[in-house]
Amino acid sequence: MTKKIFVSTPMRGKEEYEIKDRMQYLFKLACAYLGEDCELIDSLNPVYTEELQNNNIVDVAPLYLGASIKLLSQADLVIFDKYWMTAEGCRIEKQVCDTYRIKHIVEPELLGTFKDGLSYNIETESNY
């Protein structure tokens, strides 16, 4: 069975392509850490359009956060961006992982865990 990876990264103020690039980098890092092919849980757009059109919504941020937390229940591993502490949503996702014992790791913890040949590829792949 393919393991599912959830990526938690700050998104506010970033373009969609920046978020996607960052998520792909962290996803590849998590796959390398696990040593197997994995599936990325799509958390970039977890809210359906009809939910956004609901007139009762005052602030969409909790709507997106709730949808992300729901996706955490599917994750075999959650990888947190090294800047996770700068984003409220990431901090809450981290608290959920800690509280419910969802397996997770923070990006900087990973960089020293790879074999020599692999670490070169990972560290030079991105400017993050």
Side-chain angles (χ1 to χ4, degrees):
M1 188 162 124
T2 304
K3 291 193 175 164
K4 294 183 179 185
I5 307 295
F6 181 96
V7 174
S8 181
T9 186
M11 295 183 188
R12 182 169 290 168
K14 295 184 179 171
E15 298 291 329
E16 188 170 322
Y17 76 90
E18 293 174 294
I19 298 166
K20 284 181 180 180
D21 286 350
R22 186 67 177 144
M23 291 179 91
Q24 277 301 312
Y25 169 75
L26 291 167
F27 172 68
K28 289 177 184 177
L29 195 63
C31 291
Y33 170 73
L34 293 173
E36 60 186 275
D37 291 333
C38 300
E39 177 185 336
L40 177 63
I41 296 173
D42 181 12
S43 61
L44 184 58
N45 296 304
V47 177
Y48 296 108
T49 304
E50 55 271 9
E51 290 176 289
L52 291 171
Q53 295 170 347
N54 183 334
N55 291 332
N56 296 326
I57 296 173
V58 176
D59 184 355
V60 296
L63 180 65
Y64 275 91
L65 181 59
S68 290
I69 290 172
K70 186 176 179 181
L71 292 173
L72 282 175
S73 70
Q74 301 172 17
D76 293 297
L77 176 69
V78 178
I79 182 168
F80 285 89
D81 185 288
K82 62 184 171 185
Y83 299 113
W84 69 272
M85 294 268 315
T86 65
E88 290 173 311
C90 294
R91 289 195 307 267
I92 293 168
E93 290 168 352
K94 177 80 165 63
Q95 185 175 0
V96 168
C97 287
D98 289 339
T99 301
Y100 293 99
R101 295 179 180 91
I102 298 170
K103 185 177 178 180
H104 62 282
I105 193 158
V106 178
E107 176 190 1
E109 295 172 10
L110 285 176
L111 293 178
T113 63
F114 298 107
K115 298 176 184 171
D116 292 337
L118 182 57
S119 64
Y120 174 78
N121 292 335
I122 294 295
E123 291 173 0
T124 60
E125 183 176 328
S126 174
N127 293 328
Y128 290 99

